[in-house]
Amino acid sequence: FSVKSAYNGQWKKKLGARLDAFQGGGTSNRRVWRNLWKLQVPGKIKIFGWRALCGLLPCKSILANRHVTPEGGCLVCNNGAEDIKHLIFTCDRARAVWRSIGVWEKIRQLLEVDQSGSIVLEEVIQRGEHIQGLEVGLAELILTGGWYLWWESRQLTHGESVQPPSRSGLSIVSLTKNYKMAVKKDVKIRQGWRKPAEGYLTLNIDASYNEDLGCGSTGAIIRDSSGGMIAASNSFIPYLVDAPMVEAFAFKEGLML
């Protein structure tokens, strides 16, 4: 027990429910949170998804409810209040972007049930669906697209121009694929020398090439199952055309041992 734990408990009791209910957002599904943090996107987009799931994005309608801004309408399409659902899914520009990418039908099916944008995002992340043809996950694409649409809406708010929906769709797909390639790490375990089975020998060869001088060297060694050297050789070749040529000499030297 500590004063800090007592304070946190009291805060959750009084304000936790209000925070979860805010903007219809907030989820207690641990699977959603696990899937969110494992997505192959940068941290800034994961944070964007976390804020959207909690209903904490400062959209126009939320700011208007808090008397921060006088109006809560969408400045992009002037057709409805700008909340999380409108910003990412139902805005005229957002629909055009999703249509250009080819995933609008999937989104439309999710929007058939009247639910908040946070709940729609929760379903997308929980499903873990993969988009054939684009070779990216639907959750990664939706979150990257939502973040991009959010950034473009802020650009319009500050009087700056944005590109057409089709170009925005291409940018979203490119970003999603690049993020996936950047996050994916193919770990290659370096394999050292492996001794042969008992009764067998292993031949190892190597070569080096000096492009500036046009010369190179080769080496070859034969070892038994205990690692003992049976035979070895090396040579210097003063006149070479390219690296494959010196490698061919190395093969020849190994076969002649």
Side-chain angles (χ1 to χ4, degrees):
F1 174 81
S2 64
V3 175
K4 180 179 179 180
S5 64
Y7 172 82
N8 289 337
Q10 190 70 8
W11 188 91
K12 289 181 180 179
K13 181 179 179 181
K14 288 188 175 182
L15 303 176
R18 288 177 57 191
L19 180 61
D20 290 342
F22 182 66
Q23 183 58 22
T27 176
S28 59
N29 192 329
R30 293 184 178 180
R31 181 182 175 184
V32 174
W33 296 123
R34 285 198 303 268
N35 291 353
L36 172 64
W37 302 123
K38 290 180 180 179
L39 293 178
Q40 295 179 323
V41 293
K44 63 181 180 181
I45 295 182
K46 293 179 182 179
I47 296 298
F48 171 84
W50 172 79
R51 295 179 70 185
L53 287 171
C54 294
L56 298 176
L57 284 180
C59 301
K60 286 284 186 177
S61 62
I62 298 176
L63 296 177
N65 290 335
R66 294 186 172 186
H67 306 288
V68 177
T69 58
E71 297 181 357
C74 177
L75 296 178
V76 179
C77 65
N78 296 317
N79 186 20
E82 185 194 73
D83 56 8
I84 295 174
K85 183 177 182 179
H86 181 89
L87 173 71
I88 301 177
F89 301 112
T90 61
C91 177
D92 293 343
R93 177 177 174 80
R95 295 187 187 203
V97 170
W98 297 127
R99 285 194 183 97
S100 69
I101 297 175
V103 296
W104 169 246
E105 284 302 315
K106 294 181 180 292
I107 295 175
R108 186 186 60 80
Q109 293 173 6
L110 293 171
L111 297 176
E112 288 179 351
V113 180
D114 187 15
Q115 52 192 3
S116 68
S118 300
I119 301 302
V120 175
L121 277 179
E122 180 180 341
E123 287 193 23
V124 171
I125 296 173
Q126 191 167 352
R127 288 183 180 184
E129 187 176 347
H130 192 78
I131 304 175
Q132 298 295 334
L134 295 179
E135 302 303 325
V136 295
L138 181 61
E140 283 90 348
L141 185 67
I142 295 295
L143 281 182
T144 303
W147 171 83
Y148 197 86
L149 291 169
W150 163 260
W151 174 77
E152 285 190 328
S153 69
R154 298 311 97 188
Q155 295 288 100
L156 291 172
T157 301
H158 292 90
E160 301 182 20
S161 60
V162 296
Q163 55 191 351
S166 58
R167 293 291 301 274
S168 296
L170 289 175
S171 299
I172 291 170
V173 173
S174 299
L175 284 173
T176 307
K177 289 184 176 182
N178 290 338
Y179 291 153
K180 180 181 178 180
M181 294 176 61
V183 172
K184 185 178 180 181
K185 297 180 180 178
D186 295 328
V187 179
K188 295 183 179 180
I189 301 176
R190 184 176 180 181
Q191 300 290 345
W193 182 82
R194 290 185 178 183
K195 64 180 181 180
E198 189 173 353
Y200 289 84
L201 300 176
T202 293
L203 168 65
N204 296 107
I205 61 172
D206 198 5
S208 64
Y209 174 65
N210 189 319
E211 186 176 3
D212 296 330
L213 301 178
C215 60
S217 58
T218 63
I221 183 172
I222 297 177
R223 288 180 283 192
D224 58 19
S225 58
S226 64
M229 184 184 71
I230 304 299
S233 68
N234 65 83
S235 62
F236 173 76
I237 306 173
Y239 304 108
L240 293 167
V241 177
D242 51 19
M245 185 175 180
V246 70
E247 290 178 356
F249 273 104
F251 276 113
K252 178 183 177 182
E253 185 173 349
L255 293 173
M256 293 178 64
L257 273 181

